[in-house]
Amino acid sequence: MQWDIEADVVVVGFGAAGACAALEAAAAGSSVAVLDRFTGGGATALSGGVVYAGGGTPPQRAAGVTDTAAAMFGYLRTEVGDVVPPETLRQFCDDSVSMLGWLESHGVPFEGSLCPDKTSYPTNRHYLYYSGSEISARDVAPPAPRGHRTRGRGTSGGLLFARLAAATRRAGVQVVGQTKAVRVILADGRAIGVECRSLRGAPWWARTAHRLLHRAARKPFLYVPKAGRLMHRPVGWLERRYGRPLLVGAARGVVIAAGGFGGSRELLRAHAPSARGGLPLATPGDDGSGLLLGTAAGGAAALLDRVSVWRFLSPPPALLRGVLVDVDGKRICDESRYGAAIGDEIVRRGGRAWLFADQATITAARRQLRGSTLWFQRLQARYLLTFGRVTADTVAGVAAKAGIDPDGLAATVGAYNADPAHPGGEPAGPAGKPTDLAGKPADLVVAQDQPPYSLIDFSIRARLLNPAPVLTLGGLVVDHGTGQVLRADGTAVPGLYAAGRSAVGLCSRSYVSGLSIADCVFSGRRAGHHASAASEFTPADS
Ligand SMILES: Cc1cc2nc3c(=O)[nH]c(=O)nc-3n(C[C@H](O)[C@H](O)[C@H](O)COP(=O)(O)OP(=O)(O)OC[C@H]3O[C@@H](n4cnc5c(N)ncnc54)[C@H](O)[C@@H]3O)c2cc1C
């Protein structure tokens, strides 16, 4: 085979997983080439830059937080379930402190400033927070804040990626931009290279237009996918018109780290129809091509129906005092749980949900608006507290306005307000009456009995000002010890690895903030390390 570029390890996709795979492979002494359809960054660069880590990290210790790997494992077990073997999860937790240190050694900054509120994303004053449902699950494992937000203003994923990208280049990795992988090349079933379409030889204006148009379409794609798709159309045309074949040889291994499939309407429709109405938490590059590259090479895919649908009730945190109900007026779950867990519960009930709140709660929420939100959260919260709710002086009246069962709502609100968990109520547990509010932190257990009453619409529907973001979690099946892509019969495709959202990983059952990027780091490093250690392919092998 006549290769245009050759390396020991070839990584497809330059987001968090690809950068971590490349860094690890380069550190192991391999020559590495990273291919990206655009210029890198992917969803990682648009993200909040939150990394789930614990077990006593330096930021946790600086904040005076006590945490252990065992407590982290205990909690994550409830989220991760059996999508990875227990020993893989244990290793992730045991290595968490050193993983954060590794990121810091590559220039990614963290800080132990603890956020006092339960929030979807802390403001620029705080960089450590409860990013999952740890408090709600405190009977299972001692809770600790493990959301480590990269220290940088705004959504700090851009900074996280910039630092990883700079480290990757410093490590001598060859980054080949504007190059789309279209096929994994196999020799006797072993991955030996990647066939690409590249704009490397295209006129400068075509390359510039391709770069700028993609960049301009990314944000609109997040908020108004139709507009983003329209703006991105010329990008595909430029690739078809000016793309030229490029063959990249991989002596030791190919790592697929090309993101998820949230940007593909076809794949979402086929595998995750429940995500309809949500906004894809993705870039146009998350078109599932990583998944398709792997399956075309013989790999199996799993958990494609697992999508994380986010429905955050906070900020402002006062809203967590309310009661989340379905169309029958029945309480849905502990309102303090993580937004993806709440989203899951809402989807399971047909996608419709409202938060019942009394006037005292609404007033407190309004007061918290400025101090507890970043601009995009403020916009959303303002909408919810004005146009996004209906009000009435009675419980039956507000139920009628929202179109939910008034008797069901009256029964739920009555039971909620009379629950023994309220301060001054009868003690809960074996000595007292059982409480439905178990799990909800005591400071959020506040009777909702001050009219007028509101029902805030938290249904999963496509709305610009209160979107339900959707993240795809499934992907290629991999060996959790090595990251090698597995066929349906459980055997490995030699030389082929997958990482990040192109693969099944730690967050593939349920997502909590930071667990996707943490998994990208964990699985990316694993794939890079093992690909590097694989025996070299020589033509005589074929
Ligand atoms: C707004 C937003 C906020 C988020 N916040 C968080 C958070 O705070 N914490 C968290 O854990 N997760 C968060 N997520 C999710 C998280 O960002 C992603 O799941 C994760 O970054 C995926 O990383 P990745 O390396 O797998 O893929 P990506 O970062 O998407 O990188 C994939 C790369 O592959 C390239 N590519 C795709 N196809 C090809 C191809 N055929 N050939 C060559 N290159 C290709 C793409 O151009 C892209 O650069 C957020 C996501 C969004 C959108």
Side-chain angles (χ1 to χ4, degrees):
M1 187 84 59
Q2 197 64 36
W3 303 114
D4 298 298
I5 295 174
E6 284 181 77
D8 291 330
V9 176
V10 174
V11 180
V12 179
F14 193 29
C20 293
L23 279 168
E24 199 65 45
S30 292
S31 59
V32 185
V34 182
L35 319 172
D36 198 280
R37 181 178 166 195
F38 305 107
T39 50
T44 306
L46 292 185
S47 79
V50 177
V51 180
Y52 198 90
T57 63
Q60 285 181 318
R61 281 189 274 118
V65 167
T66 307
D67 193 16
T68 62
M72 182 177 174
F73 177 81
Y75 167 65
L76 280 183
R77 209 53 222 277
T78 67
E79 301 285 0
V80 172
D82 57 3
V83 296
V84 304
E87 54 274 19
T88 303
L89 179 58
R90 175 126 9 232
Q91 189 199 344
F92 171 71
C93 297
D94 287 347
D95 294 350
S96 188
V97 172
S98 67
M99 177 194 79
L100 211 72
W102 184 84
L103 284 172
E104 283 187 311
S105 75
H106 288 300
V108 184
F110 297 99
E111 183 181 282
S113 43
L114 184 59
C115 180
D117 302 320
K118 177 78 188 146
T119 179
S120 60
Y121 192 69
T123 63
N124 292 329
R125 294 193 304 280
H126 302 114
Y127 291 94
L128 179 68
Y129 72 118
Y130 281 96
S131 69
S133 305
E134 297 85 357
I135 297 178
S136 189
R138 62 188 175 279
D139 289 347
V140 177
R146 302 193 183 101
H148 291 66
R149 175 184 164 203
T150 302
R151 183 167 47 73
R153 295 181 69 77
T155 48
S156 37
L159 180 73
L160 176 132
F161 180 73
R163 296 290 168 88
L164 285 178
T168 307
R169 289 193 164 93
R170 275 198 307 275
V173 169
Q174 184 182 6
V175 178
V176 187
Q178 297 179 295
T179 296
K180 179 177 179 173
V182 294
R183 186 170 70 93
V184 174
I185 300 169
L186 302 172
D188 285 343
R190 174 178 171 152
I192 59 161
V194 182
E195 181 187 332
C196 308
R197 299 273 307 169
S198 178
L199 290 179
R200 272 161 56 104
W204 68 267
W205 65 264
R207 289 171 61 91
T208 308
H210 180 261
R211 185 165 47 80
L212 295 181
L213 285 167
H214 170 64
R215 183 166 281 271
R218 290 180 318 163
K219 285 268 167 82
F221 189 78
L222 272 184
Y223 300 112
V224 194
K226 266 189 193 146
R229 229 170 248 123
L230 209 65
M231 288 171 71
H232 209 258
R233 216 173 265 168
V235 172
W237 179 83
L238 286 166
E239 288 172 348
R240 285 189 298 279
R241 173 71 182 78
Y242 293 104
R244 294 286 173 267
L246 186 86
L247 294 178
V248 185
R252 294 183 189 274
V254 173
V255 179
I256 298 175
F261 60 93
S264 163
R265 276 186 297 185
E266 295 71 31
L267 288 173
L268 276 179
R269 209 175 293 134
H271 299 291
S274 66
R276 273 198 320 255
L279 275 186
L281 206 52
T283 70
D286 287 302
D287 61 356
S289 61
L291 182 71
L292 301 177
L293 285 169
T295 51
L303 301 170
L304 301 185
D305 58 336
R306 287 298 305 153
V307 291
S308 181
V309 180
W310 298 358
R311 256 293 162 247
F312 287 100
L313 311 184
S314 164
L319 289 185
L320 299 180
R321 300 174 196 166
V323 194
L324 189 69
V325 295
D326 62 13
V327 73
D328 297 323
K330 294 209 173 85
R331 183 160 178 250
I332 291 181
C333 64
D334 173 1
E335 293 75 15
S336 73
R337 287 178 72 191
Y338 178 65
I342 290 180
D344 241 11
E345 298 285 356
I346 296 176
V347 167
R348 212 172 293 152
R349 285 164 180 78
R352 308 203 63 198
W354 292 263
L355 187 78
F356 178 86
D358 71 357
Q359 191 53 34
T361 295
I362 297 289
T363 306
R366 279 217 182 97
R367 259 192 234 119
Q368 292 171 337
L369 266 182
R370 183 152 283 281
S372 66
T373 52
L374 286 173
W375 70 267
F376 60 92
Q377 296 165 314
R378 199 168 311 146
L379 205 66
Q380 186 167 329
R382 272 197 209 291
Y383 166 79
L384 289 173
L385 292 172
T386 49
F387 304 110
R389 69 183 173 126
V390 289
T391 54
D393 287 335
T394 62
V395 173
V398 78
K401 278 192 176 171
I404 72 178
D405 178 27
D407 296 336
L409 183 66
T412 299
V413 172
Y416 183 89
N417 288 345
D419 195 283
H422 284 283
E426 291 177 49
K433 279 200 277 173
T435 166
D436 285 341
L437 297 184
K440 189 157 176 167
D443 60 324
L444 298 175
V445 176
V446 179
Q448 300 299 299
D449 53 8
Q450 313 280 313
Y453 301 111
S454 297
L455 279 168
I456 305 176
D457 192 353
F458 276 99
S459 303
I460 312 282
R461 284 197 271 129
R463 276 174 305 181
L464 184 58
L465 285 171
N466 188 23
V470 170
L471 181 68
T472 63
L473 302 177
L476 294 165
V477 178
V478 293
D479 178 318
H480 291 288
T482 62
Q484 265 190 295
V485 173
L486 298 179
R487 301 187 183 97
D489 64 5
T491 58
V493 180
L496 190 61
Y497 301 78
R501 295 291 55 79
S502 290
V504 170
L506 288 152
C507 60
S508 292
R509 178 172 172 271
S510 83
Y511 171 83
V512 296
S513 269
L515 198 55
S516 180
I517 293 181
D519 176 65
C520 288
V521 180
F522 179 76
S523 63
R525 292 181 67 193
R526 177 180 64 195
H529 173 79
H530 284 280
S532 227
S535 61
E536 205 167 319
F537 172 81
T538 54
D541 294 341
S542 61

